[in-house]
Amino acid sequence: MGGQYRITGDRYPRMRRPRRRGRLVVMAVASVAVLGVGGWGTLQLIDVFTGGGDSASAAGTKAACADRASRTAAPKALPAPGTIKVNVLNATTRSGLAQKTADELKKRGFKIGEVTNATKEYDKKVKGTGVLLGPAAALDTSLPVLGAQLAGAERRTDPARKGGEVDLIIGDGFRALTKKADADKALAVLAEPKPAPTSKKNC
């Protein structure tokens, strides 16, 4: 072409596509928003399943732990030896064993009832150190106190039994009552038990 529309030079104009910076910015912002919402949702799920962030739940857990500790550490109301009447029964073939044992229990403050041979139900049938027998109410009261005097004795209750008396039935394995000093220590532990260890995770 000539005239005023003549093209000069050896380079031709190139057509360029419009830049997509605007679209890239929008995509980046959207990605950040999605990640943020996902992270927040994950934290909420963790709080739901672990109890984190739930002040009421945390307060309830602390209160429960405190209550458990107070109940565990609370001293037990055990009867004094002087309020426990003991019948001493000999289920062995060794004579004089019941009286000797009854005399020692009396020195330790117990009231003594019958001192005689065991009934047919137990006579020559107790292989261990002895059997402590009483009413159902004595299981957590009188029997533990008497049990401190004879380590290893079996504890039994008779629901049909009336009154508060308990029996100490001497068995073939009996040699002597527990030493008084050791029995006193056992009673002290029963009266003031140490609090059980609590889990650090829960309390």
PDB file of all heavy atoms in Angstrom, residues 13-19:
ATOM      1  N   PRO A  13       2.921  -5.376  14.626  1.00  0.00           N
ATOM      2  CA  PRO A  13       2.264  -5.332  15.965  1.00  0.00           C
ATOM      3  C   PRO A  13       1.723  -6.698  16.348  1.00  0.00           C
ATOM      4  O   PRO A  13       1.241  -7.441  15.501  1.00  0.00           O
ATOM      5  CB  PRO A  13       1.122  -4.322  15.756  1.00  0.00           C
ATOM      6  CG  PRO A  13       0.862  -4.359  14.293  1.00  0.00           C
ATOM      7  CD  PRO A  13       2.194  -4.605  13.602  1.00  0.00           C
ATOM      8  N   ARG A  14       1.880  -7.095  17.664  1.00  0.00           N
ATOM      9  CA  ARG A  14       1.391  -8.393  18.173  1.00  0.00           C
ATOM     10  C   ARG A  14       0.196  -8.169  19.102  1.00  0.00           C
ATOM     11  O   ARG A  14       0.209  -7.278  19.927  1.00  0.00           O
ATOM     12  CB  ARG A  14       2.487  -9.135  18.951  1.00  0.00           C
ATOM     13  CG  ARG A  14       3.663  -9.487  18.071  1.00  0.00           C
ATOM     14  CD  ARG A  14       4.714 -10.192  18.901  1.00  0.00           C
ATOM     15  NE  ARG A  14       5.853 -10.558  18.073  1.00  0.00           N
ATOM     16  CZ  ARG A  14       6.946 -11.170  18.563  1.00  0.00           C
ATOM     17  NH1 ARG A  14       7.023 -11.453  19.836  1.00  0.00           N
ATOM     18  NH2 ARG A  14       7.937 -11.466  17.740  1.00  0.00           N
ATOM     19  N   MET A  15      -0.768  -9.060  18.947  1.00  0.00           N
ATOM     20  CA  MET A  15      -1.964  -8.957  19.786  1.00  0.00           C
ATOM     21  C   MET A  15      -1.747  -9.752  21.080  1.00  0.00           C
ATOM     22  O   MET A  15      -1.407 -10.928  21.033  1.00  0.00           O
ATOM     23  CB  MET A  15      -3.182  -9.519  19.031  1.00  0.00           C
ATOM     24  CG  MET A  15      -3.487  -8.762  17.753  1.00  0.00           C
ATOM     25  SD  MET A  15      -3.878  -7.054  18.018  1.00  0.00           S
ATOM     26  CE  MET A  15      -5.453  -7.227  18.830  1.00  0.00           C
ATOM     27  N   ARG A  16      -1.869  -9.155  22.225  1.00  0.00           N
ATOM     28  CA  ARG A  16      -1.688  -9.833  23.531  1.00  0.00           C
ATOM     29  C   ARG A  16      -3.041 -10.040  24.196  1.00  0.00           C
ATOM     30  O   ARG A  16      -3.899  -9.179  24.135  1.00  0.00           O
ATOM     31  CB  ARG A  16      -0.805  -9.005  24.462  1.00  0.00           C
ATOM     32  CG  ARG A  16       0.618  -8.887  23.961  1.00  0.00           C
ATOM     33  CD  ARG A  16       1.421  -8.094  24.961  1.00  0.00           C
ATOM     34  NE  ARG A  16       2.802  -7.971  24.517  1.00  0.00           N
ATOM     35  CZ  ARG A  16       3.736  -7.292  25.200  1.00  0.00           C
ATOM     36  NH1 ARG A  16       3.411  -6.684  26.328  1.00  0.00           N
ATOM     37  NH2 ARG A  16       4.971  -7.230  24.718  1.00  0.00           N
ATOM     38  N   ARG A  17      -3.160 -11.238  24.915  1.00  0.00           N
ATOM     39  CA  ARG A  17      -4.387 -11.509  25.663  1.00  0.00           C
ATOM     40  C   ARG A  17      -4.425 -10.666  26.935  1.00  0.00           C
ATOM     41  O   ARG A  17      -3.393 -10.427  27.550  1.00  0.00           O
ATOM     42  CB  ARG A  17      -4.471 -12.983  26.060  1.00  0.00           C
ATOM     43  CG  ARG A  17      -4.599 -13.897  24.868  1.00  0.00           C
ATOM     44  CD  ARG A  17      -4.685 -15.326  25.338  1.00  0.00           C
ATOM     45  NE  ARG A  17      -4.826 -16.227  24.205  1.00  0.00           N
ATOM     46  CZ  ARG A  17      -4.906 -17.548  24.329  1.00  0.00           C
ATOM     47  NH1 ARG A  17      -4.863 -18.099  25.537  1.00  0.00           N
ATOM     48  NH2 ARG A  17      -5.037 -18.305  23.244  1.00  0.00           N
ATOM     49  N   PRO A  18      -5.551 -10.246  27.312  1.00  0.00           N
ATOM     50  CA  PRO A  18      -5.636  -9.427  28.558  1.00  0.00           C
ATOM     51  C   PRO A  18      -5.166 -10.235  29.760  1.00  0.00           C
ATOM     52  O   PRO A  18      -5.429 -11.418  29.874  1.00  0.00           O
ATOM     53  CB  PRO A  18      -7.135  -9.102  28.659  1.00  0.00           C
ATOM     54  CG  PRO A  18      -7.817 -10.144  27.842  1.00  0.00           C
ATOM     55  CD  PRO A  18      -6.872 -10.486  26.719  1.00  0.00           C
ATOM     56  N   ARG A  19      -4.421  -9.606  30.597  1.00  0.00           N
ATOM     57  CA  ARG A  19      -3.891 -10.288  31.790  1.00  0.00           C
ATOM     58  C   ARG A  19      -5.018 -10.707  32.729  1.00  0.00           C
ATOM     59  O   ARG A  19      -6.029 -10.028  32.835  1.00  0.00           O
ATOM     60  CB  ARG A  19      -2.919  -9.361  32.523  1.00  0.00           C
ATOM     61  CG  ARG A  19      -1.686  -9.049  31.699  1.00  0.00           C
ATOM     62  CD  ARG A  19      -0.739  -8.160  32.465  1.00  0.00           C
ATOM     63  NE  ARG A  19       0.449  -7.876  31.686  1.00  0.00           N
ATOM     64  CZ  ARG A  19       1.454  -7.117  32.124  1.00  0.00           C
ATOM     65  NH1 ARG A  19       1.381  -6.550  33.331  1.00  0.00           N
ATOM     66  NH2 ARG A  19       2.503  -6.913  31.342  1.00  0.00           N
TER      67      ARG A  19
END
